[in-house]
Each structure stands twice: as structure tokens, then as C-alpha cells.
Amino acid sequence: MDLRNYSDIDLRRKDLEKELKISLKNIGSYSLDAKSASKKNCENMIGASQVPMGIAGPLLTAQSPALPAGKSEHKAQSCFVPLATTEGALVASVNRGCKAIKLSDGVIVASHKTGVTRAPVFYTGGIIQEQKLYKWVNENKSKIKKAAESTSSHLKFKKLMFRGLADYVFIRFAFDSQDAMGMNMATLATEKIVKLIEKETGIKCISISGNFDVDKKPSWLNFIESRGHKSWAEVVLKKSVIKEVLKTSAERMYDVWLSKNMLGSAMSGSLGFNAHFANVIASIFLATGQDIAHTVEGSMGMTTAKIMKNEDLYFSIYIPSLMVGTVGGGTYLNTQKEALNILGIAEGDSGKNSQKLAEIIGGAVLAGEISLIASLSVSSLGISHRTLGRGEKI
Amino acid sequence: MDLRNYSDIDLRRKDLEKELKISLKNIGSYSLDAKSASKKNCENMIGASQVPMGIAGPLLTAQSPALPAGKSEHKAQSCFVPLATTEGALVASVNRGCKAIKLSDGVIVASHKTGVTRAPVFYTGGIIQEQKLYKWVNENKSKIKKAAESTSSHLKFKKLMFRGLADYVFIRFAFDSQDAMGMNMATLATEKIVKLIEKETGIKCISISGNFDVDKKPSWLNFIESRGHKSWAEVVLKKSVIKEVLKTSAERMYDVWLSKNMLGSAMSGSLGFNAHFANVIASIFLATGQDIAHTVEGSMGMTTAKIMKNEDLYFSIYIPSLMVGTVGGGTYLNTQKEALNILGIAEGDSGKNSQKLAEIIGGAVLAGEISLIASLSVSSLGISHRTLGRGEKI
Amino acid sequence: MDLRNYSDIDLRRKDLEKELKISLKNIGSYSLDAKSASKKNCENMIGASQVPMGIAGPLLTAQSPALPAGKSEHKAQSCFVPLATTEGALVASVNRGCKAIKLSDGVIVASHKTGVTRAPVFYTGGIIQEQKLYKWVNENKSKIKKAAESTSSHLKFKKLMFRGLADYVFIRFAFDSQDAMGMNMATLATEKIVKLIEKETGIKCISISGNFDVDKKPSWLNFIESRGHKSWAEVVLKKSVIKEVLKTSAERMYDVWLSKNMLGSAMSGSLGFNAHFANVIASIFLATGQDIAHTVEGSMGMTTAKIMKNEDLYFSIYIPSLMVGTVGGGTYLNTQKEALNILGIAEGDSGKNSQKLAEIIGGAVLAGEISLIASLSVSSLGISHRTLGRGEKI
Amino acid sequence: MDLRNYSDIDLRRKDLEKELKISLKNIGSYSLDAKSASKKNCENMIGASQVPMGIAGPLLTAQSPALPAGKSEHKAQSCFVPLATTEGALVASVNRGCKAIKLSDGVIVASHKTGVTRAPVFYTGGIIQEQKLYKWVNENKSKIKKAAESTSSHLKFKKLMFRGLADYVFIRFAFDSQDAMGMNMATLATEKIVKLIEKETGIKCISISGNFDVDKKPSWLNFIESRGHKSWAEVVLKKSVIKEVLKTSAERMYDVWLSKNMLGSAMSGSLGFNAHFANVIASIFLATGQDIAHTVEGSMGMTTAKIMKNEDLYFSIYIPSLMVGTVGGGTYLNTQKEALNILGIAEGDSGKNSQKLAEIIGGAVLAGEISLIASLSVSSLGISHRTLGRGEKI
């Protein structure tokens, strides 16, 4: 189905329901299980905020290679991508990127689950005690693991990172929380670890979070060490596709990429060497019930480009810190659950679903980068916002 | 009205309607003007995403001083703050912060409109031509201003920042876009400026945006130079309020602030020397129709604390780069417009409404910081998520 | 003269004396005016540290264009560059870069004097007083200027940058200190300004330096706003020179530049998108009596490359924050003065000498980048350190 | 001996020789083994740069605790610190800090050897090959170790850090190079590893250094992961010492520390949350034959302060990335070797000497922070530069 061939919203949705064999009645009828939401998601509730949801795609994912342990193994597939946004032109832009990807034989995606982190700060009193704590922690990792894992059967302790600063110590604990984003699980597990440390060493915790986590703040620590998932996606855009679908050339796209994403970002002290990761991530996060404040971490990362001998264009993205889940939090809300269904994300907690989501987001972010960089390279940014954001036909 | 005294969502909303003398029928009935949204805000639309909306407050804003030109002058006031979120405990947290502020005689807020920016990148060919462009730009600012302002009666050219790098030049143009967030207006004005420069100097623009803007990426440039609005808020929390409402002490809050917001953020290479600006900003942005990807800029900034002689606690926030608008974009959607009404934001484009919004957000962000830092200082983070996020009574 | 054609250090120095018609007796005889140094430069003195000084060049500087006001206008020239270092291979590397530049018709350099900065921090007590101070400062710039300039006939007030944060205010003052690096002059002028502000507003200064200067710490503020001088240099390396002198190709050099200086630096959260600015800057600083701790600011900056149609390679550097002077501080010491003579830097305080030095350093840094990137592109880094650092002939 | 009680440089040096039972004839007589230096340290040599060397101290180091493996175990000691500088007031400032430390019962120091790093960049062609390389590296760490260690009996492979970005891979290898700073050894070992990888995987290295090392550029990667040594130092300054030696109060010093080192550094996007690490590090590096361009890494780091109940002041420094060695490079030069002797650094390559140097530098840096923060807190920065830098008596 060509998503653009509908003048009627309901018809588009109904055909999508047929095509995917799912129900989208809540997305269509604007309903919400207020009782449940008021208990789990939102205090002092008075109703709901409603944001238009559009569809881009299909996004064709090429068969991934057999991956080493710790990497996912999902099969080649094609899926539609739901985006909730108020920014005219965004869905159309991702849609065009998906088309270019599809006609170039699909995107290759990969991901790595680093795990959710929580980092308490302790007050030691000074260097001598800091070194005792360092010793204790190094010698008692199995106790720490056991304490953490006693809090949930869905959580595995992965690793820790210890940093002493004067009379303070920061310890960043990383956990595998299966398909949950896992922030709350990580907090509970960390509380248990903290109690263990306090009891056995006498050293007190000042705060269960010492901003060495780093939650919802841009930071080089998360860029370098990753938090949640790493996500990569790449495609070799064919010369003919660049010309006919994107209306530009590999060289022009490369020039924009280099001057904007690399040089301009360097000149501005940015952690985002990309064009607009945040747009695509925020709109998928909103549609699928993710914590939208995690868009902050998702906005960091890099796009790369390389002109091939035959004037094809290698194009890729890398998101170092993508916090997503397919169970818990906002994912249980009616419209959000349906949006996950559109993506073909399975129910349950296999531990593979969040990786699949991380990889699809990688692919969609790539589509967004391709389309925007292409637009900029032919000076059409203003034009597309003018025509799309103000109601003219695409 | 005490927002927590309702077991029924509809009753709470209805009392709020009475209290504020406004209608909240869309927030309550989950409706959306799909036709308009599908033209202006979202292509390939299939329906809507729905996110629970809660209310915190009232947020008491103390009378601001007579401010110098370029600063707003809004009066003392009290308002309820709408937050759309799926993160249990967030609304309750802001609500508690508002209570502490109110019992401490209110928050003082201030803001400064820096203006929306757009920064094209030009290809000059080298240092010699770069210096010619530098000269031309310096000598033709009035032409640039005239070109920019010819594109809209709502836009004023404010200033520019010129940076030469090898054979490239980045120019960051800042505009006052009145009550609009103004990204699209800034793009159109910049296109006009670019045409002028290309015509008069022969130097070509590579991309209308060269990431020196910097849009939706965390960056030191926006932290240092500001984009959109700067927003400040401060309160002196009374010792009695800290004890009775926040269940902690000034010293404990100070210790958490220093070790977490300052030392922990420094150790992690973060641009967010705060606890959770992004949570509050994302949820107000979502409720009021802002571009939620701008949460990225909003996540940067600083919280400060100081223990007073009498054990009161001076507490403040500073957001250097807050992108908001009260007209255009998502603000016209039904539920979003009603949320702006809850805040008492006037209709129309006086140029003062967006500043008012920036200042209220500053106050709400302060409330969020107060409550979270207080919780952390008595180890109750896990507890509040446990009781609130899982449905027990507050 | 070909500097490499000497087996004897003294002969090389003597021929250089003849060629430049200057005396280098102190560099040759290891003498130091201990009495003067012990008063002006170093307390508790016991003698001197001695570091080998080598010579690279000549560095051919192409005729610069007529530059706009505020840019220097020095003529085309050729000069030898003194480098004091203990790192084998460094002088040889710069020397090779100079040769490649010379055979490619010389480097084009430019600079812009931003001025030395000093930034006190004030305690205001809160937002209201902060805004009063903001108003006062804006309305009294001429008083500020007058106060500053009363402290020295060699100092001009240039501009200020005001930042309010909670109950603190940081003001960064920039001064033109003619040919002096100017840190001490700036401190004295700022003290005078501070007294004026304290007297007229009653607001107290906490510290004459509030790290918003930013002195001898890497910072995005100095990268973005510049401190001291900006320095640019560029050359179009000829295909034949790349092949014969640098033993590589434009494409190989480009690949190393992109992957190392851009992608690798981005991945590591670096402010140095370059190969080794710090090496060249530190060794010239040491030779010419600069403050070597200012190498920190000098290590920030960018190298760029672009392959031309004819396989020539455009290559450039940009140093945003170069703190140099040709009078005062260590420049009066014997060997340091002679090293400035080697560069042809005139005596006296015309205000143009420090810019000339900034531009020569830019050219030498470019030479260093060219040679190292070329070496890396043919895997010869280990080899050159092995042969040069261990005593084999170049 | 009180270093300040000498009007004659030679007498001071001679008494120091007696006190320490060492010879300082080269420091006193300005000699240099030019032949050796011209082979190992500097090409195209013409002589030497001479920089005044002063002495601060004694620096009293308190008995360190029994430290866990990987930490050094040096005993309590007292040493004089040689500083080569042209900045008047610097030696006097460190000297005063040493006095305050001594009268407060000495500094506690600690260090951790992270190891020198080298990080080549590889071109893989894309995600699939990247994952093959990832797998190979993970499964062949012992081969990598063996290859590295075959290049020198003084080098041990410590660990690696693998980062995939699009069609590139960066691998950061860390080595223990005993008492050498080790950059050249690390390069040779990495070359061997690279050959192994290229041979076994067919994947090519683009550059032996991909700026993920990160050498001589400020970077968050080195701040977070450390390079060379971590160094900590702390002291509890007694109230009486603060008053009598430093002429200020704990509260004033704390206020300057908080507003300058923390808030001001945060506001300027700095990696240096300190007052002037770079000054002390550069001058010790210069005196002892370190690579002065490594001052760049050394300028990063944090100072902390805390007022104790009895108005003593806890004061500490943390340097995350200190590159030092006591053999190789410039350490063999005459005056530099004597400066190491002043510090009591033993000859030979036990692997403990470089740690001792890292810890002494930590202590001296602490002394420098104490004195400068104290000066700033009573507005005497300008005064001390005026009296010392211009020749008046201290």
C-alpha cells in the first residue's frame, strides 16, 4: 500500500489494519483507559493530550548477518513506522527516506544492549576510605550481583564502573532489564546494592542517583559508554535512487553531511553530529509509549557518509544511547500498544523485543537523516515546510 | 482546590473548569480536529496518540521586579500546570514542589528572549574570500535585516554571529519571532538572506542549516549563547517547609545538590547540571503543543542551592535555551490549546505570551528539582516510584 | 640553507646567524640573566632548565590579501621557526611540512585579535539584584572602559559578556593589550572595573577570576568565543609535492584526516579536531618565552582537508584561542628573545607583532599537521619515531 | 631550609645540594649534552632554550594507607619540588601552599596507573564486517597481548576498548609501560597488533592513531577513562593555618571554589573544574623532562572543598589523566635528570617511579590550588602578580 494515496484518514487506517491484520480502534477513536492510566502513569489526571499519529514506510530491513552473542538476530523484514508529531513535513520526510532505502535494497541494522544504569554517590570521608571501598567492591561483585538480582526475576546485573573523587565515590551499575526500559527496576536493584554496601562497609550513600547514570541529561559519559542500547543502521543509496527519489546527487549530499553534521557540529560544541535524530526518536517514542524525556540521550550520535566509486552513497547512523522498552511504563496504554503492534513487536518479555525496537528506530532515524540531508542539499528545507506544514498537497 | 482530593478524573477536571472559567472538553472527551491536523501537523495520518494529562499546582509566582528592557514584566500570579506524561510520580513530584514554593511565598522568575536561530553554511573557497564575506556582512547588516523582515511582519532580525573555518563560513542569525517558537519563520527569513548574500557576493550556500543553529542537538553553543529564551527561577525555601512538606533538611538537600548536580555532572561530561529538567519540560511541551524534540535543548542547564544563616535554603534553576511558542505548530490543536488556557496564556501574538510560558516553565522546573532533590536526600526515590507508579495512594 | 645539511650544531647556528644577521650567542652558550629572571619570572630560583632548540623551515608565507580592519596586514615572507622540544621527530616533521608548503607556493595565513579576557564572579543575592546589575553594566560601558584604560596606556577595553546564574553573575571582559599576552594587564584593569562596580552598585565580587575567563583550562567558551588570537592557515598541496615530498596521495591523507581528526575526535568528546596542534604550539611557546600552560587553549581547534579536482589537496588549520605576546613575561629572557629574532619579530609594542607571531604559529601548526597526517597515511609514525627518536639519521 | 631566605641563587642551590646530597651542577652552569640531545630529542638543533628553575617546598606527604593492588605504596616523605617557569608568582604560590600543607600535617596522595593508550582506526566496509572484527578481537585477546608484549620486555598489555562507527572501527589499547611515559613503546606495540589483525581478518588499518587515544587533545574520553595515571591528593587545612598562612577563612575559600571552580567552569563548558592545574603541571613537566604538550591532558580535572564542623577545610584535587615517566624522552637530559634527583626519584625502571612522580605532582598541584584559591578569596591575585612578577620582595 502507498500511504500517500489516501485523502481520508479513516480509510488509510482501515487499510493498514487489513494489511497488518491488527486492530487500531483506539488510535482511530481517541480512547484511553483513564482508570488504569491515572493509577500507573499520571497523578492528578484530568484527561489526555492528543497528538496526531502518521505512518511512514514500509521500512525495508535487509537480512542481518549471523551476529555474535549479545547482538540480536532478527530476520529481514518490512514494517510501517508510526510517528506522533505536530511538526508538518516530518512524517513525509521519513517516508521519503524509507522509499529511498527500499529502492536501494534495504537497511542493515544492528544493536547492542548495554543495559540501563543507575549510579549512586557515596560519601567516604577521604582517599583512604575510598580505597577500602574500591577494594571491597572489587572483591564482592558476586554479592552485589546476587543482591541486585534478588529484586526481580527480569533483571540481570551486568557490570559496574567505579570513580573516586575526593571524599566521594560514584558507582555506575548496569543491568539487563529484558524488554523493559528498566529505569525503575534498576533503581530498586541499586537500592538493594546500596543497603549491602552501607551494611558491610559502613560507608553512607548520599543519593541513589549521583548523575553518573546519566539520566535525561546530555553527557559524554553516555555517548562514550552507552546506556540502554547502541543502534547502528546503514544503506548504500543507489545513484539512480539519489537522483530520482531524492532529487540530488551523492556529492551534494556528502558536501552537506561534511559541512553540517561534522564541521558545524564540531564548531558548536555539540554531542549531536547528526541532522535531526531527535525529531524521529521523539515521534516514535511518543507513539509507542516510551519516556519522551529520553529523547535527550537519543539526540546524541553520528551520521556518516561516503561516496562510492560508482557514485552510490554509503550512508549510516550510530545512536550510542537509546533507552527503549516494549513492556512497562507507557507501553501499556491503548494507542501506544497499538503502535507497537504496527511495528510487529511481539507481546511478552523475551528480551529480544526491545532490541528489535532499537533496531527499527535506527532504521527510521537513518531514513530521516537521508531525507533531510537530501533536502538541504537542494535548498528545499523551507519549501517542504511551506508546502507540508501549511496544508498544500505533497 | 487541592488537586489530590479527587478520586474521579472527570470531577477534578470539571472543578478545574469552574475555577478557571474555561472549557476543557477536548481534554476530557479525547477529541481531535483530524482534518486540520492532517494538513498542518502530520502527513499520512491514521489517528492520534493519547497521553494522560495531569495537573500540578497552583504554582505561585511572586511579584517580579521592574525589569530592564528586553525582559518581561508579568505580574504576580498563581496558575495550575498541565503535564502530559506516562511516568508515574512525576506530576505528584511537581505538585509537591509547587506546595513547598507556595508555602515559601512564591517563586521569582525572569526570562530573556534571545530569539530563534538559523545558521547556514557557505562555501567560500578559502581565507581570502572568507574575509571578503566577513567585510560584506559587517557592512550590510541593514540590508540583511531588511531582507529578513520582508518575509514576515511578525519577525525581527536581532543579530548574527560569523565564524570562518577554512573554506567554510557559518553565520548564525537570531530573530525575534514574537509569540511563535519561530523555527519555520527563521528558515524563511534566512533563505531570503542567503539569496541576498549569494547575489551580492557570489559566494554559495551549501545548506540553509549548518548545525551552528543548533537545532535539537545538545551543544555548548546553545548553552553559552542561548537560543529561544533564557529562563531563571528562584525561591528561598523556609526551614519549616523543608521539614514539614519536603521531610528533609536544608543541609541534606545541599549535600545531594552538590554531589549529584555539580560533581556527578562534571564527572560525566554532562551539559545538564540538574536533576531532571527534561522530565518537566517534556511533559509541559507535550501538553501545550510545543515541539517535543526541543526537550533536548531544554535538558541543558543548572540548578543551584545555598544554605542561609537561618537554615532556609536558597534554590534556583537556570535554563539557557528554552524553545517555546504560544502560536503556531502544535499549539492550535484542541487539547493543546486548552492546556495553554489552563496556564492563562492569552490568545493572539503580543510577543509577551511566549515569555510568560518560558517563565512558568522555569517555575515548574524549579518545583520539579526541589521535590526530586528532597526525595533523594531521604532515599525515597525508589519508594515514590513504587507507590505512585504502581497505583497505591500518594 | 638546508637545515638538515649539518652534522655540527654550532655550524648550523652560525650559518643561521649569518643568514638572518642576528646574534644567537645565548642559545649557543647557555647563559641566562639570572638576576633579572629571579626578580621577574621565578621565585626561589636555583638555576635553569635547558631544552634543546631546533629549527624548521623556511616557512613560506604567501602574500595575504588586503584585510578588513582588525585583521593584520603583514607581507609575504619566509622565516625559520625555532622549536624547543625533547620529542624526537617533531622538528623534522615540521620541517618536512614547511618544505611541502614551500613547494606548493606558500601558506596563506590570517588572524584576528579577540583580546585577552578576565572574568570576575559577583554575588548578587538573587534575580532581582542580578537584573539591576545587568542594567547598570549596560548603561555604564563608557565608565567601565575609562576605568579599565586608566590602568595602562597599552590596554584598550574591547567588550564584555554578561551571564547571570542564580545569585551569581559572571562578566567576561576582553581587552586589547597590544603586543603583550596581557594576562596581568587584564587582571589589573579588571580590578579597577570591579572596584567601580562594587562602589556604584554595592554588589560584591567574590573572585577576580570566576573561570569564565577561561585561563589554562580547555573550554568550549574559548573555542566558541575565542581568547587572545584566532589564527587560520591554508595551503593547496600540489599533487606532485604530496607524492614526492610527503610520499603519499591526497586521497590517503584525506582518509586519515576524516577518520582521525573528525570521526575519532567526535567519538572521544574532544575539543581538538586536529592531529597534534599542541606539539608545535608547546615547542614554539617554549622557544619564544610564551606561557607554556597556554598550550592548553592552543590544543583546541580544527584541521580540514578537501581533495581538489586535479588531486591537489586543500589543507587548513584553525586555532580559535591562541594566547601569545612578544613583550613581557618570558619574552625578555635571553634565549627567548633570540628565538623571537629568528622569527623576525620586531622589538617594541606596535600592536602588530603579536598578530604576526599568531600567524607564523598558524603556519607552523599547519606544517606539523601536514607532515603527521601524511606519515600516518603510509603507516610511518612508528618508523619516524624509531629512526629519529633513537638517533638514526633522517 | 627556608627557600625564601636567600638573596643569592647560587647559595640557595648549593645549600639544596648539601641538604639533598646530590649534584645540581648542570642546573647551575647551563650545560647540555648537545650531541646526545641532537640525536634523541631534537633535529636541526642549534642550541638550547633556557627557562629559570625555582624550588618550592618541602611538600610533606603523609603516610599513605596500605593500598590495594595496582596502587602504589610509597612511604611518608618530604621533598622539594622543582618548577621551571617564566610566570612570576607561580613558585611563590606553590611554596605557600606547601607551607599550609606542612602545617596541616601533610597531604595524603594516591594514584592509579591506567596505562598509556594508542588507538588505531580501521576501515571495515560496514556493519557486518565490523561485527566480525568485534568477534575476532574478543576471541583473540591473548594473541593480541602476546603480539604487543613481544615488542618490549618493559611493556604489558592491559586492556582494549572497541568502538564501531559505520564502516570504521576504533580500538583503544592500554599498556603498562613501567616507568616510561610510554607513547613510543605503545605505538610500536600497536603496530604489531595492527599487523596481526590485518593478517588474520583482512581488515585494513587507516591510521595507527585514530584520535581515540587521545593524545595531546583535551577530551572527555581521557577525563572519563583516564590515560597514563590518575592522581589524587587531599589535606585538611587547619583553621589556624588558613588564618595565619593563607590570610583568609575556610568560608571564603569555599565560596571562591564553588563559584569559580564549579559554577564558572560549568558555565564555560570547561573540562577543567580547577583553578590552575596547568600552571603547576607545565612547570614540573618542563623541569623534569616530561613532554610539555601533555600539559593538555593534565589541565583537566577537579578540585573539591568542604568546610568541616570546626572550620577546618577539607581540600582535594583529582587529575584523571596524567602522562608522566621517569625514564626515556627528555628525562635523560642533564638539568632534567637533576630535577628528578631533587624529587628523590630513583634511577632505573622499577615501575614504581612514575607513580611516585604522579603522586608528587598531585601534591604540588594541590598546593597550587590552595594558594591561588586563598589569594582570590582576599582579592590579592593582582597584588601578588604585581609584587612578584615585577621584582618586589615577597
Side-chain angles (χ1 to χ4, degrees), chain C residues 193-213:
Chain C
I193 296 171
V194 163
K195 270 175 203 152
L196 174 70
I197 289 175
E198 288 185 332
K199 190 183 141 208
E200 298 223 1
T201 68
I203 288 168
K204 291 293 172 198
C205 175
I206 298 177
S207 169
I208 193 74
S209 165
N211 273 15
F212 201 66
D213 314 287

Side-chain angles (χ1 to χ4, degrees), chain A residues 32 34 37-38 41-51 333, chain B residues 9 12-13 16 24 26-28 30 50-56 80-86 91 283-289 333-343:
Chain A
L32 181 83
S38 71
N41 301 100
C42 186
E43 301 80 42
N44 298 345
M45 193 172 152
I46 59 163
S49 212
Q50 288 147 38
V51 181
L333 294 167
Chain B
I9 294 167
R12 184 186 289 113
R13 187 182 61 254
L16 194 64
L24 300 174
N26 292 295
I27 287 173
Y30 318 119
Q50 287 146 38
V51 181
M53 190 191 297
I55 294 286
F80 289 102
V81 182
L83 302 127
T85 184
T86 64
V91 178
S283 60
I284 300 181
F285 274 23
L286 183 53
T288 61
L333 294 167
N334 294 341
T335 57
Q336 287 78 342
K337 200 183 295 180
E338 288 178 359
L340 286 169
N341 287 341
I342 292 172
L343 289 169

Side-chain angles (χ1 to χ4, degrees), chain C residues 18 85 89 132 172 189 219 236 257 259 263 285 293 298 328 359 392:
Chain C
K18 272 187 224 157
T85 184
K132 283 183 191 156
R172 177 178 164 113
S219 71
V236 178
W257 165 73
S259 59
L263 301 178
F285 274 23
E359 293 179 358
E392 292 89 359

Side-chain angles (χ1 to χ4, degrees), chain C residues 74-383:
Chain C
H74 80 85
K75 298 287 176 294
Q77 65 170 10
S78 180
C79 73
F80 290 101
V81 182
L83 302 125
T85 184
T86 64
E87 185 183 1
L90 180 59
V91 177
S93 176
V94 175
N95 201 49
R96 188 170 73 138
C98 287
K99 187 175 173 188
I101 286 172
K102 189 179 169 191
L103 295 174
S104 298
D105 300 334
V107 56
I108 293 178
V109 295
S111 69
H112 179 82
K113 189 192 279 191
T114 310
V116 60
T117 57
R118 191 45 105 188
V121 52
F122 297 87
Y123 179 70
T124 63
I127 291 174
I128 295 174
Q129 300 90 320
E130 179 264 323
Q131 302 210 351
K132 283 183 191 156
L133 179 53
Y134 180 73
K135 194 164 175 283
W136 187 91
V137 166
N138 272 336
E139 290 171 359
N140 290 280
K141 283 188 182 156
S142 61
K143 272 193 191 175
I144 289 171
K145 180 180 171 62
K146 204 175 146 192
E149 297 181 357
S150 74
T151 59
S152 166
S153 61
H154 294 270
L155 177 136
K156 296 284 166 206
F157 172 80
K158 293 194 74 169
K159 62 179 177 179
L160 63 83
M161 188 172 171
F162 186 104
R163 287 295 178 273
L165 167 69
D167 41 353
Y168 297 98
V169 162
F170 299 85
I171 315 180
R172 177 178 164 113
F173 299 103
F175 307 97
D176 185 328
S177 50
Q178 289 189 264
D179 284 339
M181 177 268 275
M183 198 64 260
N184 287 352
M185 289 162 69
T187 300
L188 298 177
T190 303
E191 284 177 331
K192 193 91 177 194
I193 296 171
V194 163
K195 270 175 203 152
L196 174 70
I197 289 175
E198 288 185 332
K199 190 183 141 208
E200 298 223 1
T201 68
I203 288 168
K204 291 293 172 198
C205 175
I206 298 177
S207 169
I208 193 74
S209 165
N211 273 15
F212 201 66
D213 314 287
V214 186
D215 194 41
K216 299 172 179 171
K217 272 86 64 183
S219 71
W220 278 109
L221 178 56
N222 282 356
F223 192 115
I224 290 167
E225 289 296 330
S226 175
R227 185 174 191 242
H229 299 259
K230 294 184 187 182
S231 180
W232 297 267
E234 71 183 6
V235 65
V236 178
L237 292 168
K238 292 181 184 170
K239 182 182 175 182
S240 59
V241 172
I242 297 172
K243 188 176 172 195
E244 284 151 37
V245 176
L246 301 172
K247 316 291 184 197
T248 183
S249 69
E251 195 180 353
R252 276 168 172 255
M253 287 183 71
Y254 185 87
D255 285 351
V256 171
W257 165 73
L258 183 66
S259 59
K260 173 188 173 73
N261 286 18
M262 293 310 306
L263 301 178
S265 288
M267 289 290 280
S268 59
S270 179
L271 294 79
F273 294 83
N274 61 68
H276 69 145
F277 280 17
N279 270 336
V280 179
I281 288 173
S283 59
I284 301 180
F285 274 23
L286 183 53
T288 61
Q290 310 304 312
D291 189 329
I292 57 171
H294 280 137
T295 303
V296 174
E297 281 97 328
S299 69
M300 304 188 301
M302 301 183 68
T303 300
T304 81
K306 177 166 285 156
I307 303 173
M308 314 299 280
K309 298 284 177 202
N310 59 359
E311 292 176 57
D312 286 357
L313 184 70
Y314 173 89
F315 210 85
S316 92
I317 63 92
Y318 167 51
I319 311 170
S321 192
L322 192 57
M323 292 285 286
V324 291
T326 58
V327 295
T331 64
Y332 292 139
L333 294 167
N334 293 342
T335 56
Q336 287 78 342
K337 200 183 295 181
E338 289 179 359
L340 285 170
N341 286 342
I342 293 174
L343 288 169
I345 301 281
E347 303 268 327
D349 194 3
S350 68
K352 305 250 167 178
N353 294 330
S354 65
Q355 278 202 260
K356 182 173 175 183
L357 179 56
E359 293 179 358
I360 291 172
I361 292 175
V365 164
L366 182 71
E369 292 290 291
I370 288 169
S371 186
L372 180 50
I373 296 288
S375 286
L376 289 168
S377 75
V378 290
S379 303
S380 64
L381 176 65
I383 298 160

Side-chain angles (χ1 to χ4, degrees), chain D residues 103-317:
Chain D
L103 295 174
S104 299
D105 300 335
V107 57
I108 293 178
V109 296
S111 68
H112 180 81
K113 190 192 276 190
T114 310
V116 60
T117 57
R118 190 46 104 190
V121 52
F122 296 88
Y123 179 71
T124 63
I127 290 172
I128 296 174
Q129 301 91 320
E130 178 264 325
Q131 303 211 350
K132 283 183 190 156
L133 179 54
Y134 180 74
K135 196 164 175 284
W136 187 92
V137 166
N138 272 336
E139 290 171 358
N140 290 280
K141 281 188 183 157
S142 61
K143 271 193 192 174
I144 289 171
K145 180 179 170 62
K146 204 176 145 192
E149 297 181 357
S150 73
T151 59
S152 166
S153 60
H154 294 269
L155 177 136
K156 296 285 167 205
F157 172 81
K158 292 194 74 169
K159 61 179 177 179
L160 63 83
M161 189 173 171
F162 185 104
R163 289 294 179 272
L165 167 69
D167 41 353
Y168 297 98
V169 163
F170 299 85
I171 315 181
R172 176 178 166 113
F173 299 102
F175 307 97
D176 184 329
S177 51
Q178 290 189 264
D179 284 339
M181 177 269 277
M183 198 65 259
N184 286 353
M185 289 163 69
T187 300
L188 298 177
T190 303
E191 285 177 332
K192 194 90 177 195
I193 296 172
V194 162
K195 269 176 204 151
L196 174 70
I197 290 175
E198 289 185 330
K199 190 183 143 210
E200 298 223 1
T201 69
I203 288 168
K204 291 293 172 198
C205 175
I206 298 177
S207 170
I208 194 73
S209 165
N211 272 16
F212 201 66
D213 316 284
V214 186
D215 195 40
K216 298 172 181 171
K217 271 87 63 182
S219 71
W220 279 108
L221 179 56
N222 283 357
F223 192 114
I224 290 167
E225 290 295 331
S226 174
R227 185 172 192 243
H229 299 260
K230 293 185 188 182
S231 180
W232 297 267
E234 71 184 5
V235 66
V236 179
L237 293 169
K238 292 180 184 171
K239 183 182 173 183
S240 59
V241 172
I242 296 172
K243 188 176 170 195
E244 284 151 37
V245 177
L246 300 174
K247 316 291 183 197
T248 183
S249 69
E251 195 179 354
R252 276 169 173 252
M253 287 184 70
Y254 185 86
D255 285 352
V256 171
W257 165 73
L258 182 67
S259 58
K260 173 188 172 74
N261 285 21
M262 293 309 306
L263 301 179
S265 288
M267 290 291 280
S268 59
S270 179
L271 293 79
F273 295 82
N274 61 67
H276 69 146
F277 281 16
N279 270 336
V280 180
I281 288 174
S283 59
I284 301 180
F285 274 24
L286 183 53
T288 61
Q290 310 303 312
D291 190 329
I292 56 170
H294 280 138
T295 303
V296 174
E297 281 96 329
S299 69
M300 305 189 300
M302 301 182 68
T303 300
T304 80
K306 177 167 287 154
I307 303 174
M308 314 300 280
K309 298 283 176 200
N310 59 359
E311 293 177 55
D312 286 358
L313 184 71
Y314 174 90
F315 211 85
S316 92
I317 63 92

